[in-house]
Amino acid sequence: MSVLLISGSPSAASRTARLLDHLAGRMDRPATVLRLRDLPAEALLHGDTAHPGLARATEQVAAATTIVAATPIYKASYTGLLKAFLDVLPQGAFTGKTVVPVATGGTAAHLLAVDYALRPVLSVLGARHVTRGLFVLDTQIEPLAQDLLPRIDALLAEVPLEAAA
Amino acid sequence: MTNVRLVAVSAGLGKPSATRLLADRLVTAARERLERQGEEVEVRVIELRDLASDIANNLVTGFPGARLREAVEAVTGADALIAVTPVFTASYSGLFKSFFDVIEPDALTGKPVLVAATGGTARHSLVLDHAMRPLFGYLRALVVPTGVYAAAEDWGGAGDGLTATLPDRITRAAGELAAFTAAARQARPAGPAQTPAGDGAKEKEEAEVVPFEQLLASLRPGRG
């Protein structure tokens, strides 16, 4: 019964990771933020699944019942870093899990990247349920815009409390 | 006549790699078509696998090292680009996307691009249209109408009666790339090698807009 929030931002001062801290803080169950930037980047891009750092992250995914997959929008899509991580996960890594797609971006013009780019790659990993997406503008994160709170809480309320079979 | 710089980017991880094999087939076909148009062709194939460490360093430091910078310059300076990725989790690979994340948003504007992908089965063919085209669309590249997806059964296969065979698709895509390249070069004033990015970028952008009728004409069957 735990939540893993994955940040696909390569940036050291990442607003996406900050947003995940805010989300984790509003959850009613144990939640961990995994910053993909901290994983061994070389092993990740070589697809070296045996690397201990990657194996540990893969175990974190396996242990979570809910995954929040978050990315800043780069070139109207998810980052290469997030995709490199999804690529090293075993087939069906999200089977039985609820997955929440989250994206941050400089412009609302790219909001549809959540549903047209991010959602399909989460779904192909076998997610039981991919919830509505959350798109947040960079300017709404630090400090967190108060009008986001009802949206965030409504979204989190959709995440089932019971672990899936 | 200056040379046509034909650059292929291959994101295959294996050795040998089906992705590299497809890239080579496409390069050969495109070179042949361009030469038939009277062009001198200079070919460069960039293996992203060999640059994976450089791309990783770039992720960590935020700055591309010399090798990565040189590869990016080859891609942005190409007259025609062939981009080939293996399909992982129903999309381009993370390595492929990480490389194109390094490229400036306007650096491929107006560039003729052929998109191609390899996979175990035909089930993920739509990756070309759902993942690759949007990426190069964002980059305002001129993606040719035919994308080439090669599933394991396509190599040496006779097609399924509904789809043209792999060699047919390669030939058609290469013909389109050659036609787009000729049209884009005609539209650009002849002269010395392209100005580096940032220098007279506006002028370059204006010069690279190809009249639509010209593109249509270059696609008509029987040409080139």
Side-chain angles (χ1 to χ4, degrees):
Chain A
M1 202 58 255
S2 67
V3 183
L4 183 67
L5 302 99
I6 301 172
S7 165
S9 171
S11 157
S14 157
R15 274 169 295 220
T16 303
R18 277 302 291 145
L19 175 65
L20 293 189
D21 291 338
H22 289 306
L23 291 182
R26 297 191 76 78
M27 287 185 177
D28 52 4
R29 62 204 92 167
T32 312
V33 177
L34 171 65
R35 290 173 177 76
L36 299 183
R37 182 183 195 276
D38 298 336
L39 295 183
E42 207 170 326
L44 203 54
L45 287 179
H46 279 113
D48 176 12
T49 50
H51 190 288
L54 296 190
R56 210 171 314 125
T58 303
E59 279 163 27
Q60 282 182 281
V61 169
T65 51
T66 299
I67 304 280
V68 176
T71 180
I73 299 297
Y74 281 12
K75 311 259 185 318
S77 185
Y78 42 75
T79 61
L81 179 62
L82 177 67
K83 186 58 171 49
F85 181 66
L86 299 179
D87 289 351
V88 298
L89 293 177
Q91 257 191 355
F94 290 167
T95 303
K97 300 182 199 300
T98 297
V99 181
V100 183
V102 174
T104 63
T107 162
H110 286 162
L111 181 141
L112 283 179
V114 176
D115 288 319
Y116 280 87
L118 183 54
R119 182 179 297 272
V121 296
L122 303 175
S123 140
V124 84
L125 282 166
R128 182 184 55 130
H129 176 46
V130 182
T131 68
R132 281 186 299 146
L134 176 68
F135 181 90
V136 177
L137 286 172
D138 290 343
T139 50
Q140 297 177 294
I141 297 171
E142 205 59 83
L144 190 67
Q146 291 304 297
D147 55 353
L148 276 180
L149 296 180
R151 261 170 71 200
I152 289 173
D153 291 342
L155 178 62
L156 295 181
E158 283 180 27
V159 177
L161 280 165
E162 293 305 314
Chain B
M1 182 62 73
T2 52
N3 287 358
V4 169
R5 285 160 297 183
L6 173 63
V7 174
V9 171
S10 168
L13 284 181
K15 226 176 191 178
S17 126
T19 302
R20 175 59 193 263
L21 183 59
L22 181 59
D24 287 342
R25 294 273 176 97
L26 289 165
V27 162
T28 304
R31 177 207 281 266
E32 196 182 297
R33 292 300 286 254
L34 285 162
E35 284 175 351
R36 226 189 294 162
Q37 287 171 197
E39 308 280 6
E40 295 263 329
V41 184
E42 212 178 276
V43 170
R44 165 92 187 265
V45 180
I46 295 169
E47 281 276 8
L48 295 187
R49 183 192 53 217
D50 299 339
L51 289 170
S53 305
D54 306 80
I55 296 171
N57 285 337
N58 177 70
L59 281 179
V60 178
T61 62
F63 297 99
R67 263 160 44 105
L68 179 55
R69 215 166 41 234
E70 194 274 325
V72 167
E73 277 162 13
V75 167
T76 57
D79 297 299
L81 177 65
I82 296 172
V84 197
T85 181
V87 174
F88 290 164
T89 45
S91 186
Y92 36 65
S93 72
L95 181 62
F96 183 88
K97 180 61 163 51
S98 297
F99 177 73
F100 284 97
D101 279 352
V102 180
I103 289 181
E104 291 297 323
D106 57 359
L108 298 187
T109 302
K111 189 178 305 300
V113 176
L114 193 171
V115 294
T118 59
T121 75
R123 288 195 286 262
H124 285 160
S125 303
L126 285 176
V127 156
L128 294 175
D129 296 310
H130 283 263
M132 293 188 83
R133 278 185 201 277
L135 174 61
F136 289 101
Y138 173 79
L139 291 165
R140 282 183 263 138
L142 289 174
V143 183
V144 304
T146 301
V148 179
Y149 181 91
E153 66 260 26
D154 277 327
W155 300 98
D160 59 6
L162 294 174
T163 317
T165 63
L166 180 60
D168 286 347
R169 281 178 274 143
I170 288 174
T171 306
R172 187 170 75 221
E176 291 166 0
L177 186 67
F180 271 41
T181 307
R185 279 162 67 84
Q186 265 175 37
R188 204 182 305 142
Q194 266 176 294
T195 17
D199 214 16
K202 187 167 162 38
E203 232 172 86
K204 188 178 133 209
E205 192 172 319
E206 280 168 8
E208 279 184 359
V209 176
V210 180
F212 189 60
E213 315 82 72
Q214 198 177 333
L215 278 177
L216 281 180
S218 62
L219 278 179
R220 247 169 247 142
R223 259 194 58 129

